[in-house]
Each structure stands twice: as C-alpha cells, then as structure tokens.
Amino acid sequence: MRVVPSMTNERLLLDLLNTTPVVEGRPRDELADVDAGRRWLADHDQPATAEEWDAVREARSVLQAVIRGGRSSESLAPFVADVSSRPTIAGDGIAWVLDLPEGRTAAARAVLAWGALSESSPGRLRACANPECRLFLIDHSRPNTARWCSMAVCGNRMKARRHHERSRNAS
C-alpha cells in the first residue's frame, strides 16, 4: 500500500529535521532535554513521553544522515517496524488507519512522511545549500530549484559571499 503524506506529517517531518539549527554561529539542539522534547511532541500533537522523545531524537539523527547521503535508507527500518494499516469504512468509502507502535509514534510518522515524500516528490526534500546551515527544506517550486532554507537569510548570505569573492578576484 502506498502511504500518501498528509500536510500534517510533512510539517512534522520538516519541523523535526530543523530542530538542530545554527543560532549565532553555534549549533543548537531544540530537543536536547526531555522537557524540551516533551513540549515539542505535545506542540505537534504527538504522545509526549520520554520514550517518544528518545525515539524521535534517534529518528531525527538517522533521517538527517539519510537525506544528506551519509546513511542508507535501510537504517530507517527500526522506526517503521511493526507499523501496519487497516481499512475501515468511513462514510461512503474506505479510510486507512495506521497502527503505530507505542513509544515510536512520532518517529514512525516522520519516517513514513519521508518515505511518502521521497516517492511522490523525489529530490524535493534536501539540506540547505549553505554549508554553515543545518536546516532542511521541501522544495514546492515548479522548477525544483530552491536551494536554501530561506532566501532572505541563507540565500542572501550565499549570494553576498559569491559577490564578494568575485569582486576580490577581479581586483
């Protein structure tokens, strides 16, 4: 069965990937402690337990490495082990209900969203092209040419840096 990413799960995935930003030149982990992790999970309507926090942090690390090309997609298998879906009658049709393992609900949702996005929109989930940035983006542009998490921040910095280098080399 093909799982289509809901916008909610896509947002969960991107928000999870972007919990390790660089702020004022220093890497930060927004899920560093259990209280912050529980708040983040609750803010994303996920079970806010210590077990969920552990699983979502581990899933984040593996997802980031897979997207950057440092690990294979097979390394995500533990997060979707024991996930199943079942049909149920809903109104005039059938709805598919996901059965997610307790303690890995958010991690499983994020990995399923990654898988669905990889299938439906290959290459559109990527790391920001600014090597000093640790954020990710989902390119929704028609030509699939977005390179930066933010044109106003990273895009502007990279363009200014290239302009400076060209000016310096021309002298």
Side-chain angles (χ1 to χ4, degrees):
M1 180 197 77
R2 184 169 169 229
V3 177
V4 178
S6 71
M7 289 307 283
T8 302
N9 287 339
E10 192 176 286
R11 176 56 43 202
L12 173 77
L13 170 63
L14 192 58
D15 286 354
L16 177 61
L17 291 169
N18 288 336
T19 57
T20 56
V22 174
V23 178
E24 296 177 0
R26 301 177 79 170
R28 186 171 77 191
D29 183 352
E30 295 175 354
L31 304 177
D33 65 74
V34 71
D35 291 335
R38 284 181 163 175
R39 276 191 305 278
W40 188 91
L41 287 162
D43 289 347
H44 288 82
D45 298 322
Q46 301 301 306
T49 66
E51 188 178 15
E52 285 280 345
W53 169 68
D54 280 336
V56 83
R57 287 182 70 216
E58 188 177 342
R60 173 191 65 188
S61 177
V62 176
L63 280 162
Q64 288 175 338
V66 167
I67 294 164
R68 287 189 174 110
R71 290 185 73 173
S72 73
S73 58
E74 287 82 23
S75 58
L76 294 167
F79 304 105
V80 292
D82 302 322
V83 171
S84 63
S85 62
R86 58 185 161 78
T88 172
I89 302 301
D92 292 336
I94 294 179
W96 289 91
V97 176
L98 279 176
D99 292 319
L100 301 165
E102 194 171 313
R104 285 188 283 124
T105 301
R109 284 187 188 284
V111 171
L112 290 171
W114 166 83
L117 195 58
S118 295
E119 185 178 319
S120 68
S121 304
R124 291 196 175 253
L125 174 62
R126 61 180 77 101
C128 179
N130 179 352
E132 296 168 8
C133 181
R134 294 174 50 186
L135 298 181
F136 293 81
L137 65 124
I138 299 173
D139 186 353
H140 291 290
S141 71
R142 181 174 286 214
N144 192 23
T145 55
R147 297 180 55 205
W148 301 288
C149 62
S150 164
M151 188 58 196
V153 179
C154 286
N156 190 43
R157 285 182 186 152
M158 295 303 289
K159 287 182 175 190
R161 187 174 295 150
R162 282 197 311 264
H163 173 73
H164 177 73
E165 297 227 352
R166 279 194 308 267
S167 298
R168 189 176 62 192
N169 291 340
S171 310

